[in-house]
Amino acid sequence: MADVESPQDPRRVSLLTLGCARNEVDSEELAGRLSEGGWHLSDDPAASDVVVVNTCGFVEQAKKDSVDTLLAAADTGAKVVAVGCMAERYGRELADNLPEADAVLGFDHYPRLAERLTDVAEGRSVESHTPADRRTLLPITPVERQAAADGVTVPGHSGWGPRVLRARLDDSPVAPLKIASGCDRKCSFCAIPSFRGSFVSRHPDELVAEAEWLAGQGARELFLVSENSTSYGKDLGRELGGTRAMEALLPRLAAVSGVGRVRVSYLQPAETRPDLVRVIATTPGVADYFDLSFQHSSEAVLRRMRRFGSTDSFLALVEQIRSYAPEAGIRTNVIVGFPGETEDDIAELERFLTGARLDAVGVFGYSDEDGTEAETFDGKLDQSVIAERVARISALVEELTAQRAEDRIGTVVEVLVESVDDEIVGRAAHQAPEVDGECVVLGDLDCEVGELLRCEVVDSAGVDLVVRPVGGAAGTT
């Protein structure tokens, strides 16, 4: 993060972000608010008056990482403020158990965060956030939410028209763009809706305006993020496309000058419509990439998860995707060791993974989450059984994804260049940032970060590809 000067106040603040790309958008919104509020943004916590830690509260390891980061920030001697999902979810409880944090602030503090940091810097006490179920803040009926949302703080929803309240915190050619927040699903293992709230879409004109701003800041790939992208538009009304709003939005974003690639993330399989599959797979400038949250494929386990689908229906969706785009990238996450899971359920998951030939799979062992329905379920498995199943599925996934990468040898891919230091490294359309592998570009090539190169795949190593340019650049900065 390059330092951003503020003419109003010499106070310096550093922002540290944990968790997902949605949190990255929230941090950049906070950076915009703080800069506008007179704070100087710095990438050096030790030289800052206040360090703001945007925490993650999704799973136990993420909570531990958030606490460790807060403690490390306190060691710099700066004042420390916790924000983000863990702060929103636990509030005063976190403050009571972590005196190293000078303040624990929830989402409702975001609009006046600059003032709250001034209070902290000057030694004034700021009352800790008191958690509440944020699903109660908006109407149950989705189409009634847009009018009501004006009075509710929804992180990442602050930009409108030509005024984008956001500041880039790095110079990456990839930028997350939050299309919605919250979730209406009732998955038994997930607590996110309780602290992120009900699903709320952003207006498509607002998203196009922010995409244009991001392109002007050097972004060449837009990574569309939300808790559930397949629900986008269901609260916008028919005049804006309703449940078909995503199909209309994607071509608009892909047409923004300077944007070379648009990528959609966080798709729910049960809500992934044939028209949406077609638009993602066939629209120029939109990556033929499908981040599908399968979680499992055994019907019995899925029902206990309060989800829908089966091995056969999921395989049919994969087949539908590849009928449009045979080389499409497909990734997922799966949870093993869910309460009541049997050996037959694991075998069914193995059948799905073997038949689907996915490009990337995250494998997670089940653990109880505070306040979730699954926390109360019977049939809990011993940790040693869960660990064995994680290892078993992980080994299968490693073999299958390596085979899928090897199958790409001889094909041509478009690689977005992300680094030109010791070697040229980037990602193809089927590789999302950080989680799906990368491409190493061979040859003594004079290129810049942000270029799109047409390359032939000549080798693979696990999920990573080795590629050689063919025919020059597909697109430049």
Side-chain angles (χ1 to χ4, degrees), residues 165-357:
L165 189 54
R166 180 174 177 176
R168 294 298 310 274
L169 294 176
D170 59 38
D171 57 1
S172 170
V174 182
L177 174 60
K178 183 179 284 191
I179 63 172
S181 286
C183 186
D184 291 338
R185 299 186 69 88
K186 302 183 185 299
C187 300
S188 62
F189 57 84
C190 183
I192 288 176
S194 67
F195 56 86
R196 276 291 184 178
S198 300
F199 185 89
V200 184
S201 303
R202 295 179 67 189
H203 194 288
D205 291 346
E206 178 182 338
L207 293 170
V208 172
E210 187 164 333
E212 292 171 343
W213 180 85
L214 288 167
Q217 300 292 309
R220 296 296 170 256
E221 178 178 309
L222 302 180
F223 187 32
L224 308 190
V225 299
S226 72
E227 274 75 25
N228 178 6
S229 296
T230 36
S231 283
Y232 177 74
K234 73 176 187 179
D235 54 325
L236 292 178
R238 291 183 180 179
E239 66 278 9
L240 293 175
T243 57
R244 299 296 187 268
M246 177 68 84
E247 288 93 307
L249 174 66
L250 289 173
R252 292 184 65 188
L253 294 176
V256 170
S257 178
V259 172
R261 179 187 290 163
V262 177
R263 182 185 303 277
V264 186
S265 64
Y266 305 110
L267 301 172
Q268 286 290 341
E271 299 178 20
T272 303
R273 305 171 299 277
D275 282 350
L276 180 58
V277 171
R278 175 183 53 79
V279 169
I280 293 175
T282 64
T283 302
V286 176
D288 50 356
Y289 174 83
F290 294 81
D291 175 14
L292 290 159
S293 178
F294 290 118
Q295 302 299 353
H296 212 285
S297 72
S298 162
E299 287 190 73
V301 174
L302 288 168
R303 297 306 174 267
R304 287 175 69 84
M305 288 180 169
R306 304 291 183 249
R307 297 175 69 85
F308 303 94
S310 65
T311 294
D312 291 336
S313 68
F314 290 165
L315 288 175
L317 176 57
V318 169
E319 183 179 357
Q320 181 185 95
I321 290 168
R322 290 185 174 142
S323 71
Y324 285 111
E327 302 303 327
I330 307 176
R331 81 152 349 259
T332 196
N333 293 318
V334 297
I335 299 172
V336 298
F338 196 77
E341 182 188 67
T342 66
E343 279 294 326
D344 287 344
D345 295 325
I346 283 290
E348 190 69 359
L349 178 59
E350 290 172 328
R351 181 169 80 88
F352 167 66
L353 293 171
T354 302
R357 297 174 55 249

